[in-house]
Amino acid sequence: MHYVISGLKSSDFAHLYGRDDEYLAQHNARRVLASPDSALPDRIGLKDVPSGENAILLNHTYQPAQSPYHGQHAIFIHEGCIKSGLFYNEIPEYLAKRQLSLRAFNIEHCIIAAELATGEDIEPMVLTLLQMPETAYIHAHTARYGCYLAAIRKQEG
């Protein structure tokens, strides 16, 4: 089974790049400087924001579907990132180094299964969830804080 892990579209956040604190506050966002210890996960590029560079912390609707599982939560994006991360049949380090809550959704956008996984256990669990006939897609969240990290979908071919 083939799969793709994709980051968010930078165009959805470009209006925040380089703006002052007042503008960011009007959009319920704030700028955060990444430090060597911060490991701020960028939801666009699917990498941690490098130390010394800016992230923007904002509220994001990660599950826009009209279902009981409609959801939003705080996320970080790397300020200025313009290239969305795409990983084909590969778990990026960004996910592999974190304990994940993997949540499988059906076409009605309702959770049908959820599992915890870390490191080398992530890919086998992703494949198990994707092989369930009712799975339409998976959302990866951090297990501790529950923050959305990435979407995982079946890939034809």
Side-chain angles (χ1 to χ4, degrees):
M1 164 142 329
H2 298 282
Y3 63 92
V4 61
I5 300 175
S6 56
L8 300 174
K9 294 185 293 187
S10 64
S11 59
D12 292 344
F13 308 100
H15 69 99
L16 299 171
Y17 296 170
R19 300 305 293 258
D20 63 25
D21 291 344
E22 183 179 326
Y23 181 88
L24 293 176
Q26 291 170 359
H27 291 86
N28 297 318
R30 63 181 61 167
R31 187 170 284 107
V32 178
L33 182 65
S35 70
D37 301 325
S38 62
L40 305 177
D42 171 32
R43 279 33 173 234
I44 297 170
L46 302 184
K47 300 183 246 189
D48 287 341
V49 177
S51 178
E53 295 190 23
N54 287 324
I56 297 176
L57 175 63
L58 69 145
N59 193 274
H60 172 70
T61 301
Y62 63 85
Q63 177 55 286
Q66 294 303 309
S67 89
Y69 291 95
H70 175 91
Q72 58 189 52
H73 201 288
I75 64 166
F76 288 101
I77 58 169
H78 186 180
E79 186 169 14
C81 182
I82 57 171
K83 185 176 180 192
S84 294
L86 282 176
F87 293 84
Y88 297 93
N89 305 314
E90 173 189 3
I91 304 297
E93 178 187 354
Y94 162 88
L95 294 177
K97 71 181 192 175
R98 292 176 164 86
Q99 184 179 34
L100 303 181
S101 169
L102 298 169
R103 304 168 186 182
F105 289 84
N106 62 16
I107 60 171
E108 288 87 27
H109 308 289
C110 290
I111 292 178
I112 56 169
E115 297 290 343
L116 296 176
T118 306
E120 293 177 3
D121 296 333
I122 294 172
E123 186 170 51
M125 186 54 63
V126 163
L127 293 172
T128 297
L129 292 171
L130 288 175
Q131 288 171 354
M132 295 170 52
E134 15 351 294
T135 300
Y137 57 93
I138 298 169
H139 280 174
H141 291 252
T142 59
R144 286 183 63 200
Y145 291 98
C147 302
Y148 170 84
L149 291 170
I152 306 168
R153 299 188 184 280
K154 296 175 188 176
Q155 180 81 11
E156 298 300 320

